[in-house]
Amino acid sequence: MIQEVDDGHKRLKRAYSPQFLAEAAQLVVVSGRPITHVAKELGIIDQTLDVWVKAWRVENAASPGPDLSPEQSLEPREALSENARLRIENEFLKKAAAFFARTQP
């Protein structure tokens, strides 16, 4: 999607699924990691992630949900953390494959 900015320049505006927004916000809230670190891992702007986290906290403060055991509360955090780590590894492997494909005769 292309969006026109006030100064006349056009830039690409990404569209994220509601699931991605919720998972990204949960990754920050559940892991307790800084927004800047999580945003960098996910490849998004930290101010955008900050807005998502604030919205997630407002939405989930009204409905606390079921009580979870300590083991159950760790599962989503671990899954989100592993998901972010795997995304980074995947991007690295793509870049490495492209590099080696260029260097092959």
Side-chain angles (χ1 to χ4, degrees):
M1 170 195 283
I2 297 180
Q3 178 182 16
E4 191 166 331
V5 185
D6 292 338
D7 60 0
H9 292 90
K10 294 183 179 181
R11 64 178 169 176
L12 185 64
K13 181 178 180 183
R14 288 182 165 176
Y16 299 100
S17 70
Q19 181 182 1
F20 180 81
L21 274 66
E23 288 178 0
Q26 287 175 341
L27 184 58
V28 172
V29 172
V30 174
S31 70
R33 296 174 45 218
I35 289 175
T36 54
H37 293 153
V38 175
K40 185 175 180 181
E41 286 177 4
L42 298 176
I44 58 177
I45 298 170
D46 56 346
Q47 290 89 353
T48 302
L49 182 56
D50 184 45
V51 170
W52 297 349
V53 169
K54 288 176 183 174
W56 187 89
R57 286 182 173 147
V58 167
E59 288 176 10
N60 290 290
S63 57
D67 290 333
L68 299 176
S69 69
E71 294 83 20
Q72 290 173 323
S73 66
L74 286 177
E75 290 173 7
R77 182 180 333 162
E78 291 170 354
L80 291 171
S81 177
E82 183 178 3
N83 190 7
R85 182 184 59 81
L86 291 173
R87 285 180 196 223
I88 292 170
E89 289 178 7
N90 191 24
E91 287 300 316
F92 174 78
L93 291 173
K94 285 180 186 177
K95 290 177 184 177
F99 172 78
F100 287 116
R102 284 193 308 258
T103 60
Q104 294 295 325

